[in-house]
Amino acid sequence: MNWNIACIQMDIAFGKPETNYTAAEQLIEQAVQSKPDVLVLPELWTTGYDLTRLEEIADVEAKETISFLQKIAKKHHVHLVGGSIAQKTKDGIYNTMLMINNKGEFIKDYDKLHLFQLMDEHHFLQPGERDGLFTFDDKLCAGFICYDIRFPEWLRAHTTKGAEVLFVSAEWPKPRLDHWRALLISRAIENQAYVVAVNRTGSDPNNVFAGHSLIIDPWGEIINEAGEGVEILTGTIDFTKVHEVRNKIPVFADRRPEFY
Ligand SMILES: NC(=O)CCC(=O)C(=O)O
């Protein structure tokens, strides 16, 4: 089985959800022209890092975003890794990734596990406590959010359970572009999995963001890489490649977890 992927590398208006819904919808309408099976959005794409105003602008129980994504998924018969949004719950605000299948069914939400202190997340957000595993078309995938990629053990915990595609939504600043690329390529090689990583572009009052969304195969080869600007990045995932690479170098069978 193959999947055509489309990554929505967008700019994000700081603290303006309505502007961002409109911008995302326009880009998605362009992206669906190539008939993707899966569409992916970046981190905190409705609000950006306007953390001091989250109490006011976060989506309560993610209701508005889920309904926005469900409408798109059904209209275009496309699976959505709906990036992440600031979700307001009774326990606090979370940085939450939303997965909707191509029938418009809500499949999974994943709250960012590792909060990034350098961008003050720990002062405004609650850390997640659940895994990022989910299934589209019977294929086991996993979702991660930005800083999570610095924790190889977290991604490995998902591939040892069988995940074959690792989706990453990010707002990764430009000064650490080299880390972004190196970490993502490493996560693909060590997990022998596809990595589909969507970063935002543009800037906010505190950071300039790197763009350079990436689709990487299980051998660590880059299938496609975006530039710095607004872009729809596409690429095809061939699931047989996961099994070819895992059979060639049987990393999972050769692990010695009793010594780790
Ligand atoms: N939004 C984030 O989690 C950014 C992570 C980051 O920039 C890093 O260097 O790690």
Side-chain angles (χ1 to χ4, degrees):
M1 174 186 268
N2 289 0
W3 275 350
N4 292 327
I5 305 285
C7 301
I8 309 294
Q9 180 170 297
M10 60 186 281
D11 195 355
I12 296 168
F14 194 62
K16 293 189 180 145
E18 293 316 316
T19 308
N20 291 318
Y21 285 122
T22 305
E25 190 160 13
Q26 282 169 1
L27 286 167
I28 289 168
E29 287 297 331
Q30 281 177 45
V32 294
Q33 303 304 316
S34 66
K35 302 249 173 290
D37 300 290
V38 186
L39 270 176
V40 194
L41 285 155
E43 182 181 19
L44 292 180
W45 65 269
T46 61
T47 57
Y49 266 86
D50 193 357
L51 298 177
T52 58
R53 289 182 56 240
L54 285 188
E55 278 297 335
E56 192 190 321
I57 59 176
D59 190 2
V60 179
E61 308 291 348
K63 281 195 180 123
E64 185 174 359
T65 313
I66 290 173
S67 128
F68 170 89
L69 295 171
Q70 284 180 316
K71 193 182 77 184
I72 287 167
K74 270 195 271 192
K75 180 174 172 197
H76 298 294
H77 193 67
V78 66
H79 299 302
L80 290 173
V81 176
S84 79
I85 59 144
Q87 176 185 199
K88 190 168 173 177
T89 74
K90 62 177 175 29
D91 302 318
I93 299 174
Y94 292 83
N95 185 340
T96 305
M97 181 179 255
L98 301 165
M99 288 58 149
I100 312 286
N101 74 11
N102 60 13
K103 296 188 188 104
E105 294 162 341
F106 172 77
I107 293 296
K108 170 100 178 183
D109 56 343
Y110 163 68
D111 302 320
K112 188 175 189 176
L113 198 84
H114 304 95
L115 297 182
F116 190 50
Q117 297 195 35
L118 195 57
M119 282 162 65
D120 281 344
E121 284 191 316
H122 59 306
H123 293 310
F124 298 93
L125 298 170
Q126 301 301 313
E129 295 184 343
R130 292 170 295 124
D131 71 50
L133 288 170
F134 65 98
T135 301
F136 285 155
D137 299 335
D138 294 331
K139 292 291 177 193
L140 194 59
C141 306
F144 305 96
I145 306 177
C146 206
Y147 185 44
D148 281 336
I149 64 170
R150 288 191 186 269
F151 299 85
E153 60 275 40
W154 182 226
L155 280 70
R156 177 68 110 206
H158 293 70
T159 49
T160 52
K161 290 183 179 135
E164 297 184 28
V165 188
L166 309 176
F167 289 97
V168 180
S169 293
E171 289 209 29
W172 194 280
K174 198 167 166 178
R176 294 185 294 284
L177 173 59
D178 289 350
H179 289 196
W180 165 255
R181 296 181 84 259
L183 289 164
L184 290 170
I185 293 167
S186 303
R187 297 299 81 89
I189 295 171
E190 72 202 3
N191 288 296
Q192 302 178 313
Y194 280 99
V195 169
V196 176
V198 185
N199 195 18
R200 68 162 286 185
T201 183
S203 59
D204 71 11
N206 302 308
N207 287 290
V208 176
F209 296 95
H212 282 265
S213 298
L214 282 157
I215 305 176
I216 308 168
D217 82 7
W219 193 247
E221 302 279 353
I222 293 174
I223 296 174
N224 207 354
E225 177 166 3
E228 285 187 6
V230 173
E231 186 171 334
I232 296 160
L233 182 79
T234 58
T236 300
I237 283 182
D238 171 1
F239 283 92
T240 56
K241 183 102 190 226
V242 177
H243 303 286
E244 267 169 38
V245 171
R246 289 183 181 179
N247 287 335
K248 188 170 172 136
I249 305 181
V251 163
F252 289 92
D254 290 343
R255 292 174 71 238
R256 306 284 307 280
E258 64 274 30
F259 291 103
Y260 306 154

